Amino acid sequence: MFESKEEYEAILKNKVIILEWTLDHPIHHGDIGRCPKCGAPGQFDLEGLGFSPGPDISIYYSTVFNEWRCQHCDFEISY
């Protein structure tokens, strides 16, 4: 069963706090950074579940895999 938008936002809030502590700087939606899983450069998508329409790779928190990942990670797992 998938979480509601409100449940995802609550999960994401906590995960962002932990990631900010790990990175030692704040992150916001649209910030440029590197995927915590694979290191690929991208843009943090804290509002769209990794489906940002922009040209950059989206970095998002996946509740399916329970980790930060990006579209590059998604592509790699499909093979």
Side-chain angles (χ1 to χ4, degrees), residues 24-41:
D24 198 29
H25 65 81
I27 59 168
H28 303 91
H29 179 74
D31 284 355
I32 301 298
R34 294 205 168 265
C35 174
K37 178 179 170 106
C38 74

Side-chain angles (χ1 to χ4, degrees), residues 6-77:
E6 293 79 20
E7 290 169 329
Y8 179 76
E9 288 173 352
I11 292 167
L12 185 63
K13 182 179 179 180
N14 289 330
K15 298 301 181 181
V16 167
I17 290 169
I18 293 167
L19 183 60
E20 289 177 332
W21 182 81
T22 303
L23 297 175
D24 198 29
H25 65 81
I27 59 168
H28 303 91
H29 179 74
D31 284 355
I32 301 298
R34 294 205 168 265
C35 174
K37 178 179 170 106
C38 74
Q43 193 171 33
F44 283 98
D45 182 2
L46 306 182
E47 297 176 0
L49 296 172
F51 301 109
S52 179
D56 291 328
I57 293 173
S58 292
I59 302 167
Y60 65 98
Y61 186 78
S62 169
T63 57
V64 173
F65 294 99
N66 295 316
E67 64 186 4
W68 287 95
R69 55 191 299 118
C70 68
Q71 291 166 320
H72 178 75
C73 296
D74 294 340
F75 179 74
E76 289 295 318
I77 200 167

